[in-house]
């Protein structure tokens, strides 16, 4: 009986706390409309070979119009890249929007980037701070800034091994070891990917490699796609001499301007084994050579004008387009989601938001944008970009989201293509709110609102804050007493500890993937399986979608799982990515094995977690 009463009091305290918190949020939303517009960073020190990112951020409103500042002293090598996050609470929408640019200085000196200007959806005009940039000669090795570099510019490659000795630079006039910059092509279209490899050619035993000055890329969007877990080598014959060739760095280049571009030489230190002159060939010592590569030239051609679609926005590659609404039976005042997916091979990060002519019965907000990037064979960048729209029905009746179009230049067919989705038919019924309330949630109880005085507003927040603190104290007191006597009870939920509930939605999603497989739709099966695993990892372990990238997934999972489980999940996610984007057909039997592996992995992980918590 005592536990029963304690449970009732605990729940009453929690419900009281939630009610007070709800009132505080409603009051704060109606009284405070905070809108801030900022830029980060505001003070920058870089070298004239460096690139850096500038991010403009608007909070508390949506962007109606954005006016970028003048970047006259810089080259824009990436962007604008836009992202938006939206939150819906009781029919009210708030969020954050950001616009980012990747810049490279044109010369040395101290420069000021003027303020950017944004007009919010509430017609309010805001200005950012100015940005001061100090540019010195060369590159800042201590703080390398390069798009998606993801690591140090100066690094050691595992297969060489060895310990770096003190610098020893002998005269090296022979051709037994040298460095080259090797592009996979000499001509590309603007926006088309080129691959640049940095290679060491040697006839001697190499102990170590250290990059001193990374390549300086101007007018390119750059992705460092080097596999630092291993360094591949092959044999190549030049002028009757056979060399061992190591690919030590690989870059995916996406040219942003038309013209002929020179990629200047790089400098590197290479440690080699040499015979000691005092001991003949009996003993060897390590020598460190400083080498300079050749330069590389890339001709970037303009895309053809013939056949260019009116809605073409610069996308180049091979893509697919799909759109899906989470429901087509709607009610006024109740939001729903529309997901538009562009996937394929190309510069995923620069894909622009498609233009959608929403019907007048639907109120649309800026989408939340997420990306998944992968690297397939031959160093090609692939992936997919999601545009998730939060939509609000405001008028009853039937409505149609018309076909969504996406145009791009196909690098395989060497021609423009326009993709279109099927129209999405919607049926909108009357919701709990009237249509006018759905358009303007603040219109309800308007008379009571207009009689609220300024003095009432000024005292409302302190009173509600005091109630909130009191409710929180009561709830924490009873909950701590409960968990002290019952350590198997969760402090926040009051339920027995365990994770079985997290597994059920994932298994249900995987069952939906199985139904796609039974229909013979291999691509839909892998898309559903990848989505189910991603949601499981984000919800169960609190991971962000950025943590699920192929480059970091295994290392991230090792913080939570055993070596075998982390390896299994990472490999399965990679297999899904390959099946989605590689131009090959996966047999149904192999797909069935992947489905069974997913079920077994998640069950094994949950059983291990449950066993660990019961100890």
């Amino acid at each position: 009986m005592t536990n029963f009463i304690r449970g009732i009091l605990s729940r009453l305290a929690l419900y009281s706390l939630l009610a007070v918190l709800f009132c505080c949020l409603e009051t704060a939303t109606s009284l405070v409309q905070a809108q801030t517009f900022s830029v980060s960073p505001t003070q920058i020190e870089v070298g004239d070979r460096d690139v850096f990112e500038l991010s403009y951020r608007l909070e508390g409103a949506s962007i109606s119009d954005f006016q970028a500042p003048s970047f006259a002293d810089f080259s824009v090598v990436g962007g604008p890249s836009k992202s938006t996050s939206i939150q819906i609470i009781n029919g009210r929408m708030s969020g954050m929007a950001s616009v980012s640019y990747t810049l490279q200085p044109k010369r040395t000196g101290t420069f000021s980037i003027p303020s950017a200007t944004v007009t919010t959806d509430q017609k309010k005009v805001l200005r950012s701070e100015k940005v001061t940039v100090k540019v010195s000669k060369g590159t800042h090795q201590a703080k390398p800034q390069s798009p998606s570099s993801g690591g140090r510019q100066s690094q050691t490659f595992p297969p060489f091994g060895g310990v770096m000795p003190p610098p020893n630079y002998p005269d090296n006039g022979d051709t037994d070891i040298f460095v080259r910059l090797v592009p996979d092509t000499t001509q590309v279209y603007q926006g088309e990917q080129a691959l640049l490899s940095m290679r060491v050619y040697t006839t001697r035993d190499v102990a170590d490699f250290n990059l001193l000055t990374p390549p300086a890329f101007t007018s390119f969007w750059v992705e460092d796609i080097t596999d630092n877990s291993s360094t591949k080598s092959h044999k190549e014959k030049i002028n009757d001499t056979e060399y061992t060739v190591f690919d030590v760095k690989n870059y995916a280049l996406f040219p942003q301007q038309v013209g002929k571009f020179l990629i200047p030489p790089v400098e590197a230190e290479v440690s080699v084994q040499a015979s000691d002159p005092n001991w003949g060939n009996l003993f060897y010592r390590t020598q460190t050579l400083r080498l300079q590569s050749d330069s590389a030239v890339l001709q970037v051609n303009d895309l053809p004008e013939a056949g260019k679609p009116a809605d073409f926005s610069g996308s180049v590659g091979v893509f697919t387009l799909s759109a899906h609404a989470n429901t087509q039976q709607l009610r006024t005042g109740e939001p729903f989601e529309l997901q538009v997916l562009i996937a394929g091979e190309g510069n995923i990060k620069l894909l622009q938001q498609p233009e959608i002519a929403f019907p007048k019965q639907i109120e649309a907000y800026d989408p939340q944008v997420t990306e998944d990037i992968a690297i397939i064979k031959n160093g090609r960048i692939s992936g997919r970009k999601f545009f998730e729209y939060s939509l609000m029905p405001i008028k009853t009746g039937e409505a149609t989201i018309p076909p969504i179009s996406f145009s791009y230049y196909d690098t395989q067919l060497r021609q423009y293509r326009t993709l279109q989705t099927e129209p999405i038919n919607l049926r909108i019924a009357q919701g709990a709110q009237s249509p006018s309330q759905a358009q303007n949630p603040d219109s309800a109880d308007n008379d009571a609102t207009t009689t609220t005085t300024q003095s009432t507003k000024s005292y409302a927040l302190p009173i509600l804050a005091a109630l909130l603190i009191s409710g929180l104290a009561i709830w924490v007191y009873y909950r701590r007493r409960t968990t002290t006597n019952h350590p198997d009870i969760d402090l926040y939920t009051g339920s027995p500890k365990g994770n079985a509930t997290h597994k059920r939605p994932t298994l249900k999603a995987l069952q939906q993937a199985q139904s796609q497989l039974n229909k013979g739709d291999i691509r839909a099966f892998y898309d559903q399986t990848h989505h189910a695993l991603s949601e499981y990892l984000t919800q169960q372990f609190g991971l962000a979608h950025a943590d699920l990238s192929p480059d970091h997934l295994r290392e991230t999972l090792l913080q939570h799982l055993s070596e075998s489980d982390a390896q299994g999940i990472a490999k399965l996610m990679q297999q899904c990515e390959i099946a989605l984007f590689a131009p090959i057909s996966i047999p149904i039997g192999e797909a069935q094995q992947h489905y069974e592996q997913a079920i077994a992995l998640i069950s094994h992980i949950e059983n291990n977690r449950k066993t660990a918590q019961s100890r």
Side-chain angles (χ1 to χ4, degrees):
M1 180 63 69
T2 302
N3 290 337
F4 176 77
I5 295 174
R6 181 185 294 114
I8 292 178
L9 291 175
S10 176
R11 283 169 173 77
L12 287 174
L14 177 58
Y15 295 153
S16 300
L17 173 62
L18 293 175
V20 173
L21 179 59
F22 177 80
C23 293
C24 288
L25 291 174
E26 282 293 294
T27 304
T29 303
S30 62
L31 297 180
V32 182
Q33 297 294 332
Q35 299 179 16
T36 60
F37 182 49
S38 59
V39 60
S40 177
T42 57
Q43 301 285 335
I44 306 171
E45 294 187 10
V46 294
D48 61 355
R49 293 186 178 182
D50 293 330
V51 294
F52 62 94
E53 186 175 82
L54 211 57
S55 180
Y56 295 90
R57 180 185 179 102
L58 174 65
E59 297 187 39
S62 297
I63 295 178
S64 176
D65 181 58
F66 177 79
Q67 296 294 328
S70 171
F71 297 124
D73 299 309
F74 304 88
S75 297
V76 179
V77 297
S81 177
K82 302 176 182 179
S83 65
T84 306
S85 63
I86 298 174
Q87 188 177 27
I88 304 176
I89 303 177
N90 195 32
R92 298 177 185 271
M93 291 202 176
S94 62
M96 181 277 295
S98 69
V99 181
S100 300
Y101 293 86
T102 302
L103 307 175
Q104 184 175 39
K106 292 182 178 178
R107 57 185 180 277
T108 59
T110 300
F111 307 99
S112 178
I113 298 177
S115 300
T117 304
V118 68
T119 303
T120 71
D121 55 348
Q122 301 174 19
K123 306 305 180 184
K124 187 175 182 180
V125 179
L126 302 173
R127 290 181 177 275
S128 70
E129 298 176 85
K130 295 181 180 180
V131 178
T132 301
V133 184
K134 294 183 179 180
V135 183
S136 56
K137 193 69 176 173
T139 182
H140 285 194
Q141 289 292 330
K143 297 180 180 180
Q145 300 189 41
S146 174
S148 305
S149 62
R152 300 175 301 169
Q153 297 289 352
S154 180
Q155 60 190 105
T156 300
F157 295 86
F160 295 146
V163 179
M164 195 70 167
N168 175 24
Y169 304 120
D171 293 329
N172 187 49
D174 53 27
T175 58
D176 57 356
I177 183 168
F178 55 91
V179 180
R180 277 186 175 177
L181 296 180
V182 183
D184 66 339
T185 182
T186 57
Q187 292 196 43
V188 292
Y189 281 119
Q190 182 179 357
E192 181 182 6
Q193 180 185 337
L195 179 67
L196 181 73
S197 299
M198 185 186 308
R199 294 176 176 173
V200 175
Y201 292 73
T202 180
T203 60
R204 303 165 67 178
D205 293 331
V206 177
D208 198 11
F209 176 88
N210 190 30
L211 180 60
L212 299 178
T213 58
F217 300 108
T218 302
S219 301
F220 291 91
W221 179 279
V222 184
E223 294 281 351
D224 187 342
I225 58 174
T226 306
D227 182 6
N228 291 328
S229 63
S230 64
T231 302
K232 297 179 180 179
S233 66
H234 64 275
K235 299 292 185 179
E236 188 172 327
K237 204 166 188 178
I238 301 177
N239 296 330
D240 296 328
T241 302
E242 186 176 69
Y243 291 88
T244 301
V245 183
F246 295 95
D247 282 352
V248 293
K249 295 291 283 186
N250 290 296
Y251 299 96
L253 308 182
F254 295 93
Q256 303 301 297
Q257 296 181 12
V258 174
K260 191 173 185 178
F261 296 95
L262 176 71
I263 301 173
V266 301
E267 289 187 350
E269 288 180 344
V270 181
S271 297
V272 297
Q273 300 293 329
S275 59
D276 193 319
N278 297 321
W279 295 92
N281 293 325
L282 296 177
F283 296 96
Y284 290 84
R285 61 189 181 92
T286 300
Q287 287 183 318
T288 300
L289 312 178
R290 172 167 289 194
L291 306 177
Q292 185 179 71
S293 74
D294 58 349
S295 58
V297 177
L298 196 62
Q299 175 67 46
V300 181
N301 300 320
D302 201 356
L303 291 167
E305 289 296 325
K308 182 181 291 187
D311 64 343
F312 178 71
S313 61
S315 298
V316 178
V318 181
F319 300 101
T320 61
L321 172 69
S322 63
H324 171 73
N326 64 338
T327 180
Q328 293 174 254
Q329 303 299 320
L330 311 173
R331 297 169 66 88
T332 57
E334 298 179 5
F336 70 105
E337 304 294 326
L338 172 70
Q339 185 182 83
V340 178
L341 169 63
I342 303 176
E345 181 180 313
N347 195 342
I348 301 298
K349 292 186 176 181
L350 293 187
L351 291 177
Q352 297 295 309
Q353 172 184 335
E355 294 289 338
I356 304 177
F358 289 103
K360 62 182 180 180
Q361 300 96 321
I362 301 293
E363 187 171 341
Y365 301 85
D366 288 339
Q368 181 174 354
V369 182
T370 56
E371 301 167 346
D372 288 333
I373 307 297
I375 302 171
I376 57 177
K377 61 181 180 180
N378 299 326
R380 300 290 106 181
I381 295 288
S382 67
R384 53 187 179 175
K385 196 164 192 173
F386 296 91
F387 301 90
E388 296 180 279
Y389 294 82
S390 292
L391 307 176
M392 183 74 75
I394 58 177
K395 188 177 180 180
T396 59
E398 294 185 350
T400 299
I401 298 177
I404 302 169
S405 298
F406 169 67
S407 296
Y408 69 96
Y409 184 80
D410 193 306
T411 53
Q412 292 182 355
L413 301 178
R414 292 297 174 182
Q415 65 183 31
Y416 292 99
R417 293 194 64 195
T418 297
L419 307 177
Q420 271 196 345
T421 64
E422 295 294 326
I424 300 175
N425 298 316
L426 308 171
R427 185 180 296 274
I428 307 172
Q430 179 60 53
Q433 294 178 317
S434 67
S436 61
Q437 287 175 322
Q439 295 182 59
N440 183 13
D442 295 328
S443 64
D445 301 324
N446 185 61
D447 293 338
T449 303
T450 56
T451 59
T452 303
T453 64
Q454 185 64 35
S455 60
T456 302
K457 291 181 179 180
S458 63
Y459 287 107
L461 283 177
I463 293 173
L464 289 174
L467 291 173
L468 176 64
I469 294 173
S470 300
L472 180 62
I474 295 171
W475 179 75
V476 171
Y477 171 76
Y478 279 105
R479 188 60 78 193
R480 285 195 178 280
R481 288 191 59 183
T482 301
T483 54
T484 300
N485 297 327
H486 302 277
D488 57 328
I489 300 297
D490 187 85
L491 174 62
Y492 300 102
T493 64
S495 304
K497 294 179 178 178
N499 297 289
T501 57
H502 291 280
K503 182 172 64 174
R504 295 191 192 103
T506 303
L507 296 181
K508 184 177 180 180
L510 287 174
Q511 290 171 359
Q512 295 174 356
Q514 175 74 68
S515 67
Q516 298 291 344
L517 183 60
N518 293 337
K519 297 176 184 177
D521 193 340
I522 299 297
R523 180 172 292 276
F525 163 75
Y526 279 106
D527 185 73
Q528 184 69 29
T529 302
H530 186 277
H531 177 73
L533 293 173
S534 298
E535 291 302 308
Y536 173 72
L537 295 175
T538 55
Q539 295 177 11
Q540 185 75 333
F541 302 103
L543 303 181
H545 282 283
D547 298 327
L548 304 183
S549 65
D551 295 336
H552 310 292
L553 180 58
R554 181 177 172 276
E555 288 75 14
T556 302
L557 291 178
L558 284 175
Q559 302 175 17
H560 307 277
L561 303 175
S562 66
E563 171 73 27
S564 59
D565 287 342
Q567 180 71 20
I569 288 287
K571 184 177 180 180
L572 190 56
M573 292 281 282
Q574 184 182 30
Q575 288 168 335
C576 289
E577 293 281 357
I578 293 174
L580 281 170
F581 304 122
I584 57 175
S585 177
I586 304 296
I588 291 182
E590 184 177 341
Q592 179 66 33
Q593 292 179 1
H594 292 158
Y595 168 78
E596 294 170 357
Q597 289 173 8
I599 295 289
L601 271 170
I602 293 176
S603 299
H604 183 257
I605 291 171
E606 288 302 313
N607 289 336
N608 286 347
R609 289 168 61 86
K610 188 175 180 180
T611 301
Q613 291 175 351
S614 64
R615 291 175 181 173

